Amino acid sequence: MKAAMKRHESLQELSREHYQALKLVLVVRRAVDSGDLLRIGEAAAACVAAFAAELEPHFQVEERDLLPQLEAAGEAALLQRTRDDHGELRRLAAVLPFADAASLQRFADCLNAHVRFEEREMFPAVERIRTAGEAVR
């Protein structure tokens, strides 16, 4: 069993935000699985609120602070995947106020995959870049 790796201090808040996003995914999945239109509507409203208050600001921090580092380090694939995911999540979020169960599920699936990608691939690359930069100083 792998020991949990402690996240670089500069990424800890973003990781905490990822945890909150995964909790939102769970709310959506439970609502969609229930088939209850009221729960689905409440989950969609929760996603609309979370996107505006939490997810979009989170994306902006990553785009401002992390993506330039990936670009400078030549991590083109990670950079492009992050940009593509953010764009797709923004597109899906734009229709959340009118979402049916399938649209809501697509948003949750995309958000889940994006968080997993960042935690497993993008953040470790940023940590390597930052650790290398700290060693140079």
Side-chain angles (χ1 to χ4, degrees):
M1 185 169 172
K2 278 187 185 179
M5 185 176 99
K6 185 175 180 188
R7 188 62 67 211
H8 189 279
E9 183 180 326
S10 65
L11 298 174
Q12 288 176 2
E13 182 60 30
L14 291 171
S15 279
R16 281 189 283 276
E17 292 169 3
H18 282 164
Y19 176 73
Q20 295 304 314
L22 292 176
K23 286 173 55 176
L24 182 64
V25 167
L26 186 59
V27 167
V28 169
R29 287 182 174 164
R30 287 179 177 160
V32 169
D33 288 347
S34 78
D36 181 329
L37 294 179
L38 181 60
R39 282 184 69 186
I40 291 167
E42 290 170 347
C47 288
V48 168
F51 194 85
E54 300 162 17
L55 297 172
E56 180 61 34
H58 175 96
F59 292 171
Q60 290 176 14
V61 167
E62 290 176 342
E63 291 165 356
R64 182 190 68 229
D65 298 342
L66 306 183
L67 297 191
Q69 292 175 23
L70 290 173
E71 186 171 29
E75 295 284 355
L78 295 176
L79 176 70
Q80 192 59 52
R81 165 82 189 269
T82 304
R83 285 181 175 155
D84 290 348
D85 284 2
H86 287 184
E88 179 66 4
L89 283 161
R90 285 176 172 127
R91 186 186 69 73
L92 292 169
V95 299
L96 283 173
F98 318 103
D100 59 5
S103 299
L104 189 58
Q105 185 66 55
R106 277 192 297 281
F107 176 80
D109 290 346
C110 187
L111 181 58
N112 182 65
H114 177 67
V115 167
R116 304 289 182 192
F117 156 72
E118 286 192 347
E119 287 292 331
R120 294 176 181 159
E121 297 179 48
M122 197 255 280
F123 280 12
V126 169
E127 288 174 325
R128 285 191 301 276
I129 293 164
R130 289 185 173 178
T131 300
E134 290 167 1
V136 171
R137 284 188 233 156

